Amino acid sequence: MIYISPSLLAADYKNLESDVKRIEEAGANYLHLDIMDGHFVPNISFGADLVASLRPVTKLIFDVHLMITDPEKYIPDFIKAGADIITFHYEAVDDPAKLLKYLREHEIRAGISISPDTPADVLFPLIEEELIDMVLVMTVHPGFGGQKLIPDTLDKVRAIRRFAKARGIDLQIEVDGGIKPENVGYCTSAGANVIVAGTAIFGAKKPNAVIKSMREAARNHPFYEI
C-alpha cells in the first residue's frame, strides 16, 4: 500500500488546524512532522508542544522525523505529544539498535533515516534483526524545503527494498525531498511506499487532486526488480 505523508513545514502556520484538516479530508494518510534543531541541520522548525497541540484536531498518523542531535533526549517528549512513528537519523546516534528497541518497547513504530551521503548498507544489520518498521531515505540534503530530488538516492531505496524482500521482511520505505506527482513513479518503482511531499500538497489549491495523481502514478509504477 502507498501512504501519503504531507510535510507540515509547507503548511500555512497562521492556519495550521484548518490546513491539517484540509489535507486529511484530501486523502492523506500521515502527517509528516519535521523537527529541526539548528544543529544537526542548519534550520529550526518546531517542537513537541506544537505536535501535542495538533494531536486533538486530526486522526492522521503522526510521522515524526527528528533531524536533531541527541534524539534520545527528546523522544519521550514526542511520545507524550502523540507521535505514532518516530524516525531518527542514523548519523545522529552511537547505538541505533538501542534506540530502535526503546521505541518498540514504548509501542511506537520505529523509524531510522539516512542522509544522501550515507550508504544504504549501514542499515542492513538492523533490518536483518527486524528492529526497523520504517526506513526514511532522504532524497535531498536535510534541513531545507524546495530542493530537487537527488536521483542517485533512489538507488539506495532499491537496495534496501531488495535486501528486505530477499529476507521476507515487511518494511516500509519512506522518501522525503523534492517529491511531486511527476517523479513519484520513480520513487515507487525503486521500492518506496511512503511518500513525503510538502509544497506539492499543502501549496495546492486542490490537494485531493494532487494526492490522487500521486496514488495513480504509484499504481502505474510498482516496485520493479532489475
Side-chain angles (χ1 to χ4, degrees):
M1 181 172 174
I2 299 298
Y3 300 91
I4 305 297
S5 186
S7 173
L8 192 72
L9 283 181
D12 178 358
Y13 280 27
K14 299 188 299 298
N15 300 286
L16 282 182
E17 181 176 345
S18 61
D19 243 18
V20 168
K21 288 180 177 178
R22 187 170 70 104
I23 62 103
E24 182 175 13
E25 292 168 359
N29 306 103
Y30 297 172
L31 180 64
H32 192 79
L33 297 146
D34 285 304
I35 313 301
M36 300 187 288
D37 63 1
H39 186 264
F40 182 74
V41 293
N43 208 344
I44 296 174
S45 59
F46 45 80
D49 287 347
L50 185 140
V51 175
S53 73
L54 290 174
R55 185 66 284 179
V57 307
T58 178
K59 294 181 180 179
L60 289 169
I61 292 170
F62 276 16
D63 173 21
V64 175
H65 177 198
L66 300 179
M67 290 185 276
I68 62 176
T69 302
D70 299 326
E72 58 273 16
K73 290 173 58 177
Y74 301 98
I75 279 176
D77 294 334
F78 288 98
I79 293 175
K80 185 177 179 181
D84 298 293
I85 307 167
I86 294 180
T87 299
F88 62 91
H89 270 260
Y90 175 87
E91 303 90 354
V93 298
D94 295 324
D95 189 351
K98 181 180 178 181
L99 198 48
L100 291 164
K101 290 174 183 176
Y102 177 87
L103 289 168
R104 289 276 188 84
E105 288 165 2
H106 288 79
E107 299 183 346
I108 300 295
R109 287 155 66 181
I112 191 164
S113 180
I114 52 174
S115 295
D117 294 333
T118 302
D121 59 10
V122 300
L123 300 180
F124 289 174
L126 299 168
I127 295 170
E128 197 153 31
E129 289 183 60
E130 298 191 53
L131 295 177
I132 304 173
D133 295 302
M134 184 171 75
V135 170
L136 167 54
V137 176
M138 290 299 301
T139 48
V140 298
H141 292 283
F144 293 96
Q147 300 180 63
K148 291 184 178 180
L149 183 147
I150 302 170
D152 289 350
T153 59
L154 298 183
D155 293 336
K156 293 193 287 185
V157 173
R158 190 178 300 279
I160 292 166
R161 178 60 71 201
R162 283 176 174 167
F163 184 87
K165 185 179 179 182
R167 288 153 182 80
I169 295 171
D170 184 17
L171 180 70
Q172 290 196 348
I173 302 179
E174 183 173 48
V175 284
D176 180 6
I179 299 170
K180 45 195 174 182
E182 303 93 280
N183 58 23
V184 165
Y186 296 113
C187 300
T188 56
S189 65
N193 73 308
V194 183
I195 307 299
V196 177
T199 304
I201 295 175
F202 272 109
K205 291 183 178 179
K206 295 182 178 180
N208 57 324
V210 176
I211 290 173
K212 182 179 179 181
S213 67
M214 286 183 165
R215 293 194 189 284
E216 184 176 354
R219 283 194 300 270
N220 291 336
H221 297 86
F223 173 60
Y224 179 59
E225 185 72 70
I226 58 173

